[in-house]
Amino acid sequence: MRGYTGDKDGYLKRLRRIEGQIRGLQRMVESDEYCIDILTQIAAATKALQAVSLGLMDEHLKHCVAEAIAEGGEAADAKVREASDAIARLVRS
């Protein structure tokens, strides 16, 4: 069971909403909308994806990493390293 499973429907709903935002961006470009309006919508979609990312990271830390730490050993070190790498990727993006 994944850490996000309890709120899977919520994540899927948010991702579908983001998908709609992206389709709206495509329509804006096709309709030659004003550049700044498109950029504003891109910023909104980016923030929405970041919110999903942070939620998933929180669930991962609470569930997967905490479980691995409780078990201890090399698996725990690997999970912590994996989470740290994921955080670094999110920070760079």
Side-chain angles (χ1 to χ4, degrees):
M1 184 160 143
R2 304 291 181 205
Y4 62 85
T5 301
D7 196 23
K8 185 176 181 177
D9 289 337
Y11 283 111
L12 288 171
K13 184 177 179 180
R14 287 166 35 180
L15 288 168
R16 285 187 195 103
R17 199 172 318 131
I18 294 166
E19 180 181 21
Q21 286 179 289
I22 301 305
R23 276 191 253 106
L25 283 165
Q26 291 171 341
R27 285 190 298 273
M28 289 178 81
V29 171
E30 288 171 352
S31 300
D32 291 324
E33 297 286 333
Y34 185 55
C35 301
I36 297 302
D37 293 339
I38 296 170
L39 291 170
T40 299
Q41 292 306 310
I42 289 172
T46 300
K47 289 292 182 188
L49 278 172
Q50 288 172 343
V52 171
S53 300
L54 291 174
L56 288 171
M57 179 56 66
D58 184 59
E59 297 292 343
H60 181 67
L61 291 172
K62 287 179 182 175
H63 182 266
C64 302
V65 174
E67 189 176 281
I69 288 173
E71 292 174 10
E74 289 182 26
D77 293 339
K79 282 288 183 193
V80 170
R81 187 170 38 261
E82 179 183 61
S84 294
D85 291 345
I87 292 167
R89 285 191 301 275
L90 289 173
V91 170
R92 283 193 301 262
S93 64

Coordinates of all heavy atoms in Angstrom, one line a residue:
M1 N 0.8 -1.2 0.0 CA 0.0 0.0 0.0 C 0.9 1.2 0.0 O 1.8 1.3 0.8 CB -0.9 0.0 1.2 CG -1.9 1.1 1.3 SD -3.2 0.7 2.4 CE -3.5 2.2 3.2
R2 N 0.6 2.2 -0.8 CA 1.3 3.4 -1.0 C 0.8 4.4 0.1 O -0.3 4.4 0.5 CB 1.2 4.0 -2.4 CG 1.6 3.1 -3.5 CD 3.1 2.9 -3.5 NE 3.4 2.0 -4.5 CZ 4.5 1.2 -4.5 NH1 5.3 1.2 -3.5 NH2 4.8 0.5 -5.6
G3 N 1.7 5.4 0.4 CA 1.4 6.4 1.4 C 0.2 7.3 1.0 O -0.6 7.7 1.9
Y4 N 0.0 7.5 -0.3 CA -1.0 8.4 -0.7 C -2.3 7.7 -1.0 O -3.4 8.3 -1.3 CB -0.6 9.1 -2.0 CG -0.3 8.1 -3.2 CD1 -1.3 7.7 -4.0 CD2 1.0 7.7 -3.5 CE1 -1.1 6.8 -5.0 CE2 1.2 6.8 -4.5 CZ 0.2 6.4 -5.3 OH 0.4 5.5 -6.3
T5 N -2.4 6.4 -0.8 CA -3.6 5.6 -1.1 C -4.8 6.1 -0.4 O -5.9 6.1 -1.0 CB -3.3 4.1 -0.8 OG1 -2.2 3.6 -1.5 CG2 -4.6 3.3 -1.1
G6 N -4.7 6.6 0.8 CA -5.8 7.0 1.6 C -6.5 8.3 0.9 O -7.7 8.5 1.1
D7 N -5.7 9.1 0.2 CA -6.2 10.3 -0.4 C -6.1 10.2 -2.0 O -6.0 11.2 -2.6 CB -5.5 11.5 0.1 CG -6.3 12.8 -0.2 OD1 -7.5 12.7 -0.4 OD2 -5.7 13.8 -0.2
K8 N -6.0 9.0 -2.5 CA -5.8 8.8 -3.9 C -6.9 9.5 -4.7 O -6.5 10.1 -5.7 CB -5.9 7.3 -4.2 CG -5.5 6.9 -5.6 CD -5.5 5.4 -5.8 CE -5.2 5.0 -7.2 NZ -5.1 3.5 -7.3
D9 N -8.1 9.4 -4.3 CA -9.2 10.1 -5.1 C -9.0 11.6 -5.1 O -9.2 12.3 -6.1 CB -10.6 9.8 -4.5 CG -11.0 8.3 -4.7 OD1 -10.5 7.7 -5.7 OD2 -11.8 7.8 -4.0
G10 N -8.5 12.2 -4.0 CA -8.2 13.6 -4.0 C -7.1 14.0 -4.9 O -7.2 15.0 -5.6
Y11 N -6.0 13.2 -4.9 CA -4.9 13.4 -5.8 C -5.4 13.3 -7.3 O -5.0 14.1 -8.1 CB -3.8 12.5 -5.6 CG -3.0 12.9 -4.3 CD1 -3.0 12.1 -3.2 CD2 -2.2 14.0 -4.3 CE1 -2.2 12.4 -2.1 CE2 -1.4 14.4 -3.2 CZ -1.5 13.6 -2.1 OH -0.8 13.9 -1.0
L12 N -6.2 12.3 -7.6 CA -6.6 12.1 -9.0 C -7.5 13.3 -9.4 O -7.4 13.8 -10.5 CB -7.4 10.8 -9.1 CG -6.5 9.6 -9.1 CD1 -7.4 8.3 -9.0 CD2 -5.6 9.5 -10.3
K13 N -8.4 13.8 -8.5 CA -9.2 14.9 -8.8 C -8.4 16.2 -9.1 O -8.6 16.9 -10.0 CB -10.2 15.2 -7.6 CG -11.2 16.3 -7.8 CD -12.1 16.4 -6.6 CE -13.1 17.5 -6.8 NZ -14.0 17.6 -5.6
R14 N -7.4 16.4 -8.2 CA -6.5 17.6 -8.5 C -5.7 17.4 -9.8 O -5.6 18.4 -10.5 CB -5.5 17.7 -7.3 CG -6.3 18.3 -6.1 CD -5.7 18.2 -4.7 NE -4.2 18.4 -4.6 CZ -3.6 18.4 -3.5 NH1 -4.2 18.2 -2.4 NH2 -2.3 18.5 -3.4
L15 N -5.2 16.2 -10.1 CA -4.5 16.0 -11.3 C -5.4 16.2 -12.5 O -5.0 16.8 -13.6 CB -3.8 14.7 -11.3 CG -2.6 14.5 -10.4 CD1 -2.2 13.1 -10.3 CD2 -1.5 15.4 -10.9
R16 N -6.7 15.8 -12.4 CA -7.6 16.0 -13.5 C -7.9 17.5 -13.7 O -8.0 18.0 -14.9 CB -8.9 15.3 -13.3 CG -8.8 13.8 -13.5 CD -10.1 13.1 -13.4 NE -9.9 11.7 -13.3 CZ -10.0 11.0 -12.1 NH1 -10.4 11.6 -11.0 NH2 -9.8 9.7 -12.1
R17 N -7.9 18.2 -12.6 CA -8.1 19.7 -12.7 C -6.9 20.3 -13.4 O -7.1 21.2 -14.3 CB -8.3 20.3 -11.3 CG -9.0 21.6 -11.3 CD -9.3 22.1 -9.9 NE -9.9 21.1 -9.1 CZ -9.5 20.8 -7.8 NH1 -8.5 21.5 -7.3 NH2 -10.1 19.9 -7.1
I18 N -5.7 19.9 -13.1 CA -4.5 20.4 -13.7 C -4.5 20.1 -15.2 O -4.1 20.9 -16.0 CB -3.3 19.9 -13.0 CG1 -3.2 20.4 -11.5 CG2 -2.0 20.2 -13.7 CD1 -2.2 19.7 -10.6
E19 N -4.9 18.8 -15.5 CA -5.0 18.4 -16.9 C -5.9 19.4 -17.7 O -5.6 19.8 -18.8 CB -5.6 17.0 -17.0 CG -5.7 16.5 -18.4 CD -6.2 15.1 -18.4 OE1 -6.9 14.6 -17.4 OE2 -6.0 14.4 -19.4
G20 N -7.0 19.8 -17.0 CA -7.9 20.8 -17.7 C -7.3 22.1 -17.8 O -7.5 22.8 -18.9
Q21 N -6.5 22.5 -16.9 CA -5.7 23.8 -17.0 C -4.8 23.7 -18.2 O -4.7 24.7 -18.9 CB -4.9 24.1 -15.7 CG -5.7 24.5 -14.5 CD -4.8 24.7 -13.3 OE1 -4.3 23.8 -12.7 NE2 -4.7 26.0 -13.0
I22 N -4.1 22.6 -18.4 CA -3.2 22.5 -19.5 C -3.9 22.5 -20.8 O -3.5 23.2 -21.8 CB -2.3 21.1 -19.3 CG1 -1.6 21.1 -18.0 CG2 -1.4 21.0 -20.5 CD1 -0.7 22.3 -17.8
R23 N -5.1 21.9 -20.9 CA -5.9 21.9 -22.1 C -6.3 23.4 -22.4 O -6.3 23.8 -23.5 CB -7.1 21.0 -22.0 CG -6.7 19.6 -22.4 CD -7.9 18.7 -22.6 NE -8.0 17.8 -21.5 CZ -8.8 17.8 -20.5 NH1 -9.8 18.8 -20.4 NH2 -8.8 17.0 -19.5
G24 N -6.6 24.1 -21.3 CA -7.0 25.5 -21.4 C -5.8 26.3 -22.0 O -6.0 27.2 -22.8
L25 N -4.6 26.0 -21.5 CA -3.4 26.7 -22.0 C -3.3 26.4 -23.5 O -2.9 27.3 -24.3 CB -2.2 26.2 -21.3 CG -2.0 26.8 -19.9 CD1 -0.9 26.0 -19.2 CD2 -1.6 28.2 -20.0
Q26 N -3.5 25.2 -24.0 CA -3.4 24.9 -25.4 C -4.4 25.7 -26.2 O -4.1 26.3 -27.2 CB -3.7 23.4 -25.6 CG -2.6 22.5 -25.1 CD -3.0 21.0 -25.1 OE1 -4.1 20.7 -25.2 NE2 -1.9 20.2 -25.1
R27 N -5.6 25.8 -25.7 CA -6.6 26.6 -26.4 C -6.2 28.1 -26.4 O -6.5 28.8 -27.4 CB -8.0 26.4 -25.7 CG -8.7 25.1 -26.0 CD -10.1 25.1 -25.5 NE -10.2 25.2 -24.0 CZ -10.2 24.2 -23.2 NH1 -9.9 23.0 -23.6 NH2 -10.3 24.4 -21.9
M28 N -5.6 28.6 -25.3 CA -5.2 30.0 -25.3 C -4.2 30.2 -26.4 O -4.2 31.3 -27.1 CB -4.6 30.3 -23.9 CG -5.7 30.4 -22.8 SD -5.0 30.8 -21.2 CE -4.8 32.6 -21.3
V29 N -3.2 29.3 -26.5 CA -2.2 29.5 -27.6 C -2.8 29.4 -28.9 O -2.5 30.2 -29.8 CB -1.1 28.5 -27.4 CG1 -0.1 28.5 -28.6 CG2 -0.3 28.7 -26.1
E30 N -3.7 28.4 -29.1 CA -4.4 28.3 -30.4 C -5.2 29.5 -30.8 O -5.3 29.9 -31.9 CB -5.3 27.1 -30.4 CG -4.6 25.7 -30.4 CD -5.5 24.6 -30.2 OE1 -6.7 24.7 -29.8 OE2 -5.0 23.4 -30.3
S31 N -5.7 30.2 -29.8 CA -6.5 31.4 -30.0 C -5.7 32.7 -30.0 O -6.3 33.8 -30.0 CB -7.6 31.5 -28.9 OG -8.4 30.4 -28.9
D32 N -4.4 32.6 -29.9 CA -3.5 33.7 -29.9 C -3.8 34.7 -28.8 O -3.9 35.9 -29.0 CB -3.6 34.5 -31.3 CG -2.9 33.6 -32.4 OD1 -1.9 32.9 -32.1 OD2 -3.5 33.7 -33.5
E33 N -4.1 34.2 -27.6 CA -4.3 35.0 -26.4 C -3.1 35.8 -26.1 O -1.9 35.5 -26.5 CB -4.7 34.1 -25.2 CG -6.0 33.4 -25.4 CD -7.3 34.2 -25.4 OE1 -7.2 35.3 -24.7 OE2 -8.2 33.8 -26.0
Y34 N -3.2 36.8 -25.3 CA -2.2 37.7 -24.8 C -1.1 36.9 -24.0 O -1.5 36.1 -23.2 CB -2.8 38.8 -24.0 CG -1.8 39.9 -23.6 CD1 -1.0 40.6 -24.5 CD2 -1.7 40.2 -22.2 CE1 -0.2 41.6 -24.1 CE2 -0.8 41.2 -21.8 CZ 0.0 41.9 -22.8 OH 0.8 42.9 -22.4
C35 N 0.1 37.2 -24.3 CA 1.3 36.4 -23.7 C 1.2 36.4 -22.2 O 1.4 35.3 -21.6 CB 2.6 37.0 -24.1 SG 2.9 37.1 -25.9
I36 N 1.0 37.5 -21.6 CA 1.0 37.6 -20.1 C -0.2 36.8 -19.5 O 0.0 36.2 -18.5 CB 0.9 39.1 -19.7 CG1 2.1 39.9 -20.1 CG2 0.7 39.2 -18.1 CD1 3.4 39.3 -19.6
D37 N -1.3 36.7 -20.2 CA -2.4 35.9 -19.7 C -2.1 34.4 -19.7 O -2.4 33.7 -18.8 CB -3.7 36.2 -20.6 CG -4.2 37.6 -20.4 OD1 -3.9 38.2 -19.4 OD2 -5.0 38.0 -21.3
I38 N -1.4 34.0 -20.8 CA -0.9 32.6 -20.9 C 0.1 32.3 -19.8 O 0.0 31.3 -19.1 CB -0.4 32.3 -22.3 CG1 -1.4 32.5 -23.3 CG2 0.2 30.9 -22.3 CD1 -0.9 32.4 -24.8
L39 N 1.0 33.2 -19.6 CA 2.1 33.0 -18.6 C 1.4 33.0 -17.2 O 1.9 32.2 -16.3 CB 3.1 34.2 -18.6 CG 4.0 34.1 -19.9 CD1 4.8 35.4 -20.0 CD2 4.9 32.9 -19.8
T40 N 0.4 33.8 -16.9 CA -0.3 33.7 -15.6 C -0.9 32.4 -15.4 O -0.8 31.8 -14.3 CB -1.4 34.8 -15.6 OG1 -0.7 36.1 -15.7 CG2 -2.1 34.8 -14.3
Q41 N -1.5 31.8 -16.5 CA -2.1 30.5 -16.3 C -1.1 29.4 -16.2 O -1.3 28.4 -15.5 CB -3.0 30.2 -17.5 CG -4.3 31.1 -17.6 CD -5.1 31.0 -16.3 OE1 -5.4 29.9 -15.8 NE2 -5.4 32.2 -15.7
I42 N 0.1 29.6 -16.8 CA 1.2 28.6 -16.7 C 1.6 28.6 -15.2 O 1.9 27.5 -14.6 CB 2.3 28.9 -17.6 CG1 1.9 28.5 -19.1 CG2 3.6 28.1 -17.2 CD1 2.9 29.0 -20.1
A43 N 1.8 29.8 -14.6 CA 2.2 29.9 -13.2 C 1.2 29.2 -12.3 O 1.6 28.5 -11.4 CB 2.3 31.4 -12.8
A44 N -0.1 29.4 -12.6 CA -1.1 28.7 -11.8 C -1.0 27.2 -11.9 O -1.1 26.5 -10.9 CB -2.5 29.2 -12.2
A45 N -0.8 26.7 -13.1 CA -0.7 25.2 -13.3 C 0.6 24.7 -12.6 O 0.5 23.6 -12.0 CB -0.7 24.9 -14.8
T46 N 1.6 25.5 -12.7 CA 2.9 25.1 -12.0 C 2.7 25.0 -10.5 O 3.1 24.0 -9.9 CB 4.0 26.1 -12.4 OG1 4.2 26.1 -13.8 CG2 5.3 25.7 -11.7
K47 N 2.0 26.0 -9.9 CA 1.8 26.0 -8.5 C 0.9 24.8 -8.1 O 1.1 24.2 -7.1 CB 1.1 27.3 -8.1 CG 2.0 28.5 -8.1 CD 3.1 28.3 -7.0 CE 4.0 29.5 -7.0 NZ 5.1 29.4 -6.1
A48 N -0.1 24.5 -8.9 CA -1.0 23.3 -8.7 C -0.2 22.0 -8.7 O -0.3 21.2 -7.8 CB -2.1 23.3 -9.7
L49 N 0.7 21.9 -9.6 CA 1.6 20.7 -9.7 C 2.5 20.6 -8.5 O 2.8 19.5 -7.9 CB 2.4 20.6 -11.0 CG 1.7 20.1 -12.2 CD1 2.5 20.3 -13.4 CD2 1.3 18.6 -12.0
Q50 N 3.0 21.8 -8.1 CA 3.9 21.8 -6.9 C 3.1 21.4 -5.6 O 3.7 20.7 -4.8 CB 4.5 23.2 -6.7 CG 5.6 23.5 -7.8 CD 6.0 25.0 -7.7 OE1 5.4 25.8 -7.1 NE2 7.2 25.2 -8.3
A51 N 1.9 21.8 -5.5 CA 1.1 21.4 -4.4 C 0.9 19.9 -4.3 O 1.0 19.3 -3.3 CB -0.3 22.2 -4.4
V52 N 0.6 19.3 -5.5 CA 0.5 17.9 -5.5 C 1.8 17.2 -5.1 O 1.8 16.3 -4.4 CB 0.0 17.4 -6.9 CG1 0.1 15.9 -7.1 CG2 -1.4 17.9 -7.2
S53 N 2.9 17.7 -5.7 CA 4.2 17.2 -5.3 C 4.5 17.2 -3.8 O 5.0 16.2 -3.3 CB 5.3 18.0 -6.0 OG 5.2 17.9 -7.4
L54 N 4.2 18.3 -3.2 CA 4.4 18.5 -1.8 C 3.5 17.5 -1.0 O 4.0 16.9 0.0 CB 4.2 19.9 -1.3 CG 5.3 20.9 -1.8 CD1 4.9 22.3 -1.4 CD2 6.6 20.6 -1.3
G55 N 2.3 17.4 -1.4 CA 1.4 16.4 -0.7 C 1.9 15.0 -0.8 O 2.0 14.2 0.1
L56 N 2.4 14.6 -2.0 CA 2.9 13.3 -2.2 C 4.2 13.1 -1.4 O 4.4 12.0 -0.8 CB 3.2 13.0 -3.7 CG 1.9 12.8 -4.6 CD1 2.3 12.8 -6.0 CD2 1.2 11.5 -4.2
M57 N 5.0 14.1 -1.4 CA 6.3 14.0 -0.6 C 6.0 13.8 0.9 O 6.6 13.0 1.6 CB 7.2 15.2 -0.9 CG 8.5 15.2 -0.1 SD 9.5 13.7 -0.4 CE 9.9 14.0 -2.1
D58 N 5.0 14.6 1.4 CA 4.6 14.5 2.8 C 4.1 13.1 3.1 O 4.5 12.5 4.1 CB 3.5 15.5 3.0 CG 3.1 15.5 4.5 OD1 4.0 15.8 5.4 OD2 1.9 15.3 4.8
E59 N 3.3 12.5 2.2 CA 2.8 11.2 2.4 C 3.9 10.1 2.3 O 3.9 9.2 3.1 CB 1.7 10.8 1.4 CG 0.5 11.7 1.4 CD -0.4 11.4 2.7 OE1 -0.2 10.4 3.3 OE2 -1.2 12.3 3.0
H60 N 4.8 10.4 1.4 CA 6.0 9.4 1.3 C 6.8 9.4 2.6 O 7.2 8.4 3.1 CB 6.8 9.8 0.1 CG 8.0 8.9 -0.1 ND1 7.9 7.6 -0.5 CD2 9.3 9.2 0.0 CE1 9.1 7.1 -0.6 NE2 10.0 8.0 -0.3
L61 N 7.1 10.6 3.1 CA 7.9 10.7 4.3 C 7.1 10.1 5.5 O 7.7 9.3 6.3 CB 8.2 12.2 4.6 CG 9.2 12.8 3.7 CD1 9.3 14.3 4.0 CD2 10.5 12.2 3.7
K62 N 5.9 10.3 5.6 CA 5.1 9.8 6.8 C 4.9 8.3 6.7 O 4.8 7.7 7.7 CB 3.7 10.5 6.8 CG 3.7 11.9 7.2 CD 2.2 12.4 7.2 CE 2.2 13.9 7.6 NZ 0.8 14.4 7.4
H63 N 4.8 7.8 5.5 CA 4.5 6.4 5.4 C 5.7 5.5 5.0 O 6.2 4.8 5.8 CB 3.4 6.2 4.3 CG 2.9 4.8 4.1 ND1 3.5 4.0 3.2 CD2 2.0 4.0 4.8 CE1 2.9 2.8 3.2 NE2 2.0 2.8 4.2
C64 N 6.2 5.7 3.8 CA 7.3 4.9 3.3 C 8.6 5.1 4.1 O 9.2 4.1 4.5 CB 7.5 5.2 1.8 SG 6.0 4.9 0.8
V65 N 9.0 6.3 4.2 CA 10.3 6.6 4.9 C 10.2 6.2 6.4 O 11.1 5.5 6.9 CB 10.8 8.0 4.7 CG1 12.0 8.3 5.5 CG2 11.0 8.3 3.2
A66 N 9.1 6.6 7.1 CA 9.0 6.3 8.5 C 9.0 4.8 8.7 O 9.6 4.3 9.7 CB 7.7 6.9 9.0
E67 N 8.3 4.1 7.8 CA 8.2 2.6 7.9 C 9.6 2.0 7.8 O 10.0 1.1 8.5 CB 7.3 2.0 6.9 CG 7.0 0.6 7.0 CD 5.9 0.1 6.0 OE1 4.8 0.4 6.2 OE2 6.3 -0.4 4.9
A68 N 10.4 2.5 6.8 CA 11.7 2.0 6.6 C 12.6 2.3 7.7 O 13.5 1.4 8.1 CB 12.3 2.6 5.3
I69 N 12.5 3.5 8.3 CA 13.3 3.8 9.5 C 13.0 2.9 10.7 O 13.9 2.5 11.4 CB 13.2 5.3 9.8 CG1 13.9 6.2 8.7 CG2 13.7 5.6 11.2 CD1 13.6 7.7 8.9
A70 N 11.7 2.6 10.8 CA 11.3 1.8 11.9 C 12.0 0.4 11.8 O 12.3 -0.3 12.8 CB 9.8 1.6 12.0
E71 N 12.1 -0.1 10.5 CA 12.7 -1.4 10.3 C 14.2 -1.3 10.4 O 14.9 -2.3 10.7 CB 12.3 -1.9 8.9 CG 10.8 -2.2 8.7 CD 10.4 -2.6 7.3 OE1 11.3 -2.7 6.5 OE2 9.2 -2.7 7.1
G72 N 14.8 -0.1 10.1 CA 16.2 0.1 10.2 C 17.0 -0.6 9.1 O 16.5 -1.1 8.1
G73 N 18.3 -0.5 9.3 CA 19.2 -1.1 8.3 C 19.5 -0.3 7.1 O 19.2 0.9 7.0
E74 N 20.0 -1.0 6.1 CA 20.4 -0.4 4.8 C 19.2 0.1 4.0 O 19.2 1.1 3.3 CB 21.2 -1.3 3.9 CG 22.6 -1.6 4.5 CD 23.4 -2.5 3.6 OE1 23.1 -2.5 2.3 OE2 24.3 -3.1 4.1
A75 N 18.1 -0.6 4.2 CA 16.8 -0.2 3.5 C 16.4 1.2 4.0 O 15.9 2.0 3.2 CB 15.7 -1.2 3.7
A76 N 16.6 1.5 5.3 CA 16.2 2.8 5.8 C 17.1 3.9 5.2 O 16.6 4.9 4.8 CB 16.3 2.8 7.3
D77 N 18.4 3.6 5.2 CA 19.3 4.6 4.6 C 19.0 4.8 3.1 O 19.0 6.0 2.7 CB 20.8 4.0 4.7 CG 21.3 4.0 6.1 OD1 20.7 4.7 7.0 OD2 22.2 3.2 6.4
A78 N 18.6 3.8 2.4 CA 18.3 3.9 1.0 C 17.0 4.8 0.8 O 16.9 5.6 0.0 CB 18.1 2.6 0.4
K79 N 16.0 4.6 1.7 CA 14.7 5.3 1.6 C 15.0 6.8 1.9 O 14.4 7.7 1.3 CB 13.7 4.8 2.6 CG 13.0 3.6 2.1 CD 12.0 3.9 0.9 CE 11.3 2.6 0.5 NZ 10.6 2.7 -0.7
V80 N 15.8 7.1 2.9 CA 16.1 8.5 3.2 C 16.9 9.1 2.1 O 16.6 10.3 1.7 CB 16.9 8.5 4.6 CG1 17.4 9.9 4.8 CG2 16.0 8.1 5.7
R81 N 17.8 8.4 1.5 CA 18.6 9.0 0.4 C 17.6 9.2 -0.8 O 17.7 10.2 -1.5 CB 19.7 8.0 0.0 CG 20.7 8.5 -1.0 CD 21.9 7.6 -1.2 NE 21.7 6.2 -1.1 CZ 21.9 5.4 0.0 NH1 22.4 6.0 1.1 NH2 21.7 4.1 0.0
E82 N 16.8 8.3 -1.1 CA 15.8 8.4 -2.2 C 14.9 9.6 -1.9 O 14.7 10.4 -2.9 CB 14.9 7.1 -2.2 CG 13.9 7.1 -3.3 CD 13.0 5.9 -3.2 OE1 12.4 5.6 -2.1 OE2 13.0 5.1 -4.2
A83 N 14.4 9.8 -0.7 CA 13.6 11.0 -0.4 C 14.4 12.3 -0.6 O 13.9 13.3 -1.1 CB 13.0 10.9 1.0
S84 N 15.6 12.3 -0.1 CA 16.5 13.5 -0.2 C 16.7 13.8 -1.7 O 16.6 15.0 -2.1 CB 17.8 13.2 0.5 OG 17.6 13.1 1.8
D85 N 16.9 12.8 -2.5 CA 17.1 13.0 -4.0 C 15.8 13.6 -4.6 O 15.9 14.5 -5.4 CB 17.5 11.7 -4.7 CG 18.9 11.2 -4.3 OD1 19.7 12.0 -3.7 OD2 19.2 10.1 -4.6
A86 N 14.7 13.1 -4.2 CA 13.4 13.6 -4.7 C 13.2 15.0 -4.3 O 12.8 15.8 -5.1 CB 12.3 12.7 -4.2
I87 N 13.5 15.4 -3.1 CA 13.4 16.7 -2.6 C 14.3 17.6 -3.4 O 13.9 18.7 -3.9 CB 13.7 16.8 -1.1 CG1 12.6 16.2 -0.3 CG2 13.8 18.3 -0.7 CD1 12.9 15.9 1.1
A88 N 15.5 17.2 -3.7 CA 16.5 18.0 -4.5 C 15.9 18.2 -5.9 O 16.1 19.3 -6.4 CB 17.8 17.3 -4.5
R89 N 15.3 17.2 -6.5 CA 14.7 17.4 -7.8 C 13.6 18.4 -7.8 O 13.5 19.2 -8.7 CB 14.2 16.0 -8.4 CG 15.3 15.1 -8.8 CD 14.8 13.9 -9.6 NE 13.9 13.1 -8.9 CZ 14.2 12.1 -8.1 NH1 15.5 11.8 -7.9 NH2 13.2 11.4 -7.5
L90 N 12.8 18.3 -6.8 CA 11.7 19.3 -6.6 C 12.2 20.7 -6.4 O 11.6 21.6 -7.0 CB 10.7 18.9 -5.5 CG 9.9 17.6 -5.7 CD1 9.2 17.3 -4.4 CD2 8.9 17.9 -6.8
V91 N 13.2 20.9 -5.7 CA 13.8 22.2 -5.4 C 14.3 22.8 -6.7 O 14.2 24.0 -7.0 CB 14.8 22.1 -4.3 CG1 15.5 23.4 -4.1 CG2 14.1 21.8 -3.0
R92 N 15.0 21.9 -7.5 CA 15.6 22.4 -8.7 C 14.6 22.8 -9.8 O 14.8 23.6 -10.7 CB 16.5 21.4 -9.3 CG 17.9 21.3 -8.6 CD 18.8 20.4 -9.4 NE 18.4 19.1 -9.7 CZ 18.7 18.0 -9.0 NH1 19.5 18.1 -7.9 NH2 18.2 16.8 -9.3
S93 N 13.4 22.2 -9.7 CA 12.4 22.4 -10.8 C 11.6 23.7 -10.6 O 11.7 24.4 -9.7 CB 11.4 21.3 -10.8 OG 10.7 21.2 -9.6

